[in-house]
Amino acid sequence: MSALFTPLTLRRVTLPNRIALAPMCQYTAGPDGLPTDWHLVHLGARAVGGTGLVLTEATAVLPEGRISPQDTGLWSAAHVDAWRPVTAFVAAHGAVPAVQLAHAGFKASTYRPWAPRRGGVPDAEGGWTPVGPGSAPFVPDYRVPAALDEAGIAGVVEAFAVAAGRAVDAGFAAVEIHAAHGYLLHEFLSPLTNHRDDGWGGDRAGRMRLTLAVARAVRATVGEDVPVLARISATDWEPAGWTVEDSVVLAAASWPPPGWTWSTAPRAGRPPPRRSPSARATRCRWPPGCAGRRGCPAARSG
């Protein structure tokens, strides 16, 4: 029998199989970031269908970390109560409920895909000023971000940790740190978007610092038994950007010191707009030395 249909134990959590629902933004929450019946049906149906690990969409750790005003969040006790029926249903049907914790960085405050307009949402329509490693927007029609200072960075790390604790209270059995796709943590990782000259930028160690700080804070909050997953973009597809070798170093640095349980390298993140060489190339195969020799489990996403 294929290993795909065999159980997999991560820390104290056992998946019934190795099929995972990748996070997919639904853009159907209200302005308060609370999940709705839509999310119960979307995630619950995958559990009923036999998926082993059911991951939520990118769920913001702060209101300003949402991609759009219609994204879900986990920044208050109200979110904990709203997520509980979803996690209970998923678990009752044999799947493991997990949440992807995210901060969109300078890609925040944008219209959802089917809106008649594109670009940044103005304050008058429920938007806000995003934040990032610097003050340059993602693309010209996005909002101009505010560069995070030391206090802002500390607030982001704390927000991930607090949201992770709320996730456990809400019934999620695992948490995933979103450090991919050009969102905040990836923005700090990539030299294409991180031009800081302080301790949060510069060389690779400085650019990795925020992601590793978040991983340590999340692990300290949820304890040793809860799987902490990480989604990273394996490459920017730019010679001067984040590379596969950088991803190997990051995975090695995170295993086991901060203690994330596996890494997923889904596709190119392309912090500025980039086209990967081919569709097949966006499905990254971890090179020897990352998953195998280092011992950190890795997942692939198509």
Side-chain angles (χ1 to χ4, degrees):
M1 182 176 65
S2 170
L4 183 64
F5 301 105
T6 62
L8 175 66
T9 297
L10 302 170
R11 301 279 173 153
R12 295 294 182 86
V13 174
T14 298
L15 311 183
N17 57 58
R18 301 172 189 229
I19 300 172
L21 174 70
M24 292 182 283
C25 291
Q26 300 298 297
Y27 305 107
T28 56
D32 51 11
L34 298 178
T36 65
D37 287 346
W38 176 281
H39 299 89
L40 175 61
V41 173
H42 165 63
L43 299 171
R46 276 69 197 178
V48 171
T51 302
L53 179 69
V54 174
L55 276 155
T56 71
E57 64 191 82
T59 299
V61 299
L62 290 167
E64 62 269 27
R66 292 170 292 166
I67 303 168
S68 78
Q70 293 78 33
D71 283 16
T72 58
L74 247 179
W75 62 79
S76 75
H79 295 91
V80 174
D81 293 337
W83 277 114
R84 279 178 176 151
V86 179
T87 60
F89 187 92
V90 169
H93 289 83
V96 173
V99 61
Q100 185 185 73
L101 299 178
H103 192 303
F106 61 27
K107 294 175 73 175
S109 190
T110 61
Y111 290 101
R112 55 186 171 184
W114 58 85
R117 296 182 61 187
R118 293 289 181 267
V121 178
D123 290 359
E125 296 182 35
W128 57 91
T129 299
V131 298
S135 57
F138 173 60
V139 290
D141 61 347
Y142 275 35
R143 299 282 298 257
V144 175
L148 284 168
D149 58 15
E150 288 285 342
I153 290 172
V156 167
V157 175
E158 180 182 14
F160 269 94
V162 172
R166 290 194 179 108
V168 174
D169 290 344
F172 289 105
V175 298
E176 180 175 77
I177 299 166
H178 196 347
H181 303 170
Y183 297 123
L184 185 64
L185 299 186
H186 186 191
E187 292 161 21
F188 271 80
L189 289 171
S190 175
L192 297 177
T193 48
N194 185 345
H195 305 296
R196 300 174 71 104
D197 56 7
D198 61 3
W200 303 97
D203 63 10
R204 181 166 58 195
R207 289 182 281 107
M208 290 184 355
R209 185 179 169 196
L210 177 57
T211 298
L212 294 177
V214 166
R216 292 187 182 98
V218 168
R219 171 57 68 203
T221 299
V222 302
E224 293 299 318
D225 294 341
V226 176
V228 176
L229 320 177
R231 172 165 284 228
I232 64 175
S233 289
T235 175
D236 289 338
W237 295 115
E238 283 289 321
W242 184 260
T243 67
V244 171
E245 178 56 34
D246 291 327
S247 293
V248 172
V249 172
L250 177 63
S254 69
W255 179 266
W260 69 43
T261 309
W262 77 14
S263 299
T264 304
R267 60 178 175 85
R270 307 189 302 276
R274 294 288 186 270
R275 185 177 297 276
S276 57
S278 70
R280 177 175 295 180
T282 64
R283 298 177 177 89
C284 176
R285 182 187 299 274
W286 281 110
C290 181
R293 189 171 73 234
R294 298 296 182 182
C296 177
R300 292 182 64 195
S301 176

